[in-house]
Amino acid sequence: MNPSVMLYTADQIKQRLNRAHLLLKSPLFDPKSLDDNSWKVAFAELIMVSDDLLRQSSELGHRIDFYEGVGVTGKIQDITSLVEWMRACLPKSVADLSVQLTTQRLNRYFDQGTGYFANGYFFTGEFDGELALFIDDQRIYLKRQLGRAIEEAEPFLV
């Protein structure tokens, strides 16, 4: 076990799991939601909570390591490393999100398609009915990846 990684109590894990489930169902991630940037804070918080849960699962000997749809570019090997990389791009705490969030780095795209975001990053969304969330050029799908990762980690955490 890596001593630098904090292990959470059962209550802390339960709180994070509840928060992750709540965020995954947030109307801010609905295709019809207004793009008023409030989804960016929810996305950043979801990444932070997911990172805590995936780290805890890894520390307990159960790394969530699927790689379907994960853009493997050397630094990102699986879903856990993608979430870890995305968290490293964000402020250190949830309290800092609304103040310090660099919004030009975050984008989203619903359904299937390709193009360029206003910040110049090329994107691809591979699935109809799915929300692709981006930090720079790194993509993560809300249901297929974040939802699945939480679902796979949960049995090891409760």
Side-chain angles (χ1 to χ4, degrees):
M1 190 177 304
N2 182 348
S4 67
V5 176
M6 180 177 148
L7 289 176
Y8 298 102
T9 66
D11 284 345
Q12 290 170 321
I13 290 298
K14 187 175 181 181
Q15 286 178 330
R16 282 169 173 78
L17 283 168
N18 288 340
R19 188 66 184 151
H21 289 299
L22 188 67
L23 287 165
L24 285 166
K25 296 175 189 167
S26 172
L28 294 171
F29 297 127
D30 186 278
K32 295 177 184 96
S33 67
L34 292 176
D35 194 0
D36 65 357
N37 290 331
S38 58
W39 69 268
K40 293 179 180 184
V41 174
F43 169 50
E45 183 180 357
L46 181 57
I47 289 295
M48 292 172 144
V49 170
S50 298
D51 184 54
D52 288 346
L53 294 169
L54 295 178
R55 284 176 188 253
Q56 180 84 4
S57 185
S58 289
E59 285 298 305
L60 295 171
H62 304 283
R63 183 178 178 89
I64 307 305
D65 61 358
F66 66 84
Y67 56 87
E68 292 85 4
V70 176
V72 179
T73 59
K75 63 181 174 255
I76 308 218
Q77 296 101 26
D78 60 23
I79 189 63
T80 296
S81 60
L82 175 59
V83 171
E84 185 179 312
W85 180 88
M86 286 185 159
R87 179 161 191 176
C89 295
L90 299 170
K92 296 294 179 210
S93 74
V94 173
D96 297 332
L97 287 179
S98 60
V99 178
Q100 295 180 16
L101 198 57
T102 307
T103 56
Q104 293 103 335
R105 297 185 70 190
L106 304 183
N107 289 290
R108 66 180 181 172
Y109 189 80
F110 292 100
D111 292 326
Q112 193 172 17
T114 58
Y116 286 91
F117 291 121
N119 63 1
Y121 283 106
F122 180 77
F123 71 86
T124 300
E126 300 173 308
F127 306 102
D128 282 330
E130 177 63 282
L131 173 60
L133 297 153
F134 296 82
I135 297 180
D136 299 334
D137 61 345
Q138 294 297 315
R139 172 193 65 217
I140 194 163
Y141 291 106
L142 183 68
K143 296 175 195 154
R144 288 179 184 270
Q145 292 176 319
L146 279 172
R148 177 182 168 189
I150 299 302
E151 186 178 298
E152 287 188 19
E154 192 163 0
F156 304 114
L157 299 170
V158 291

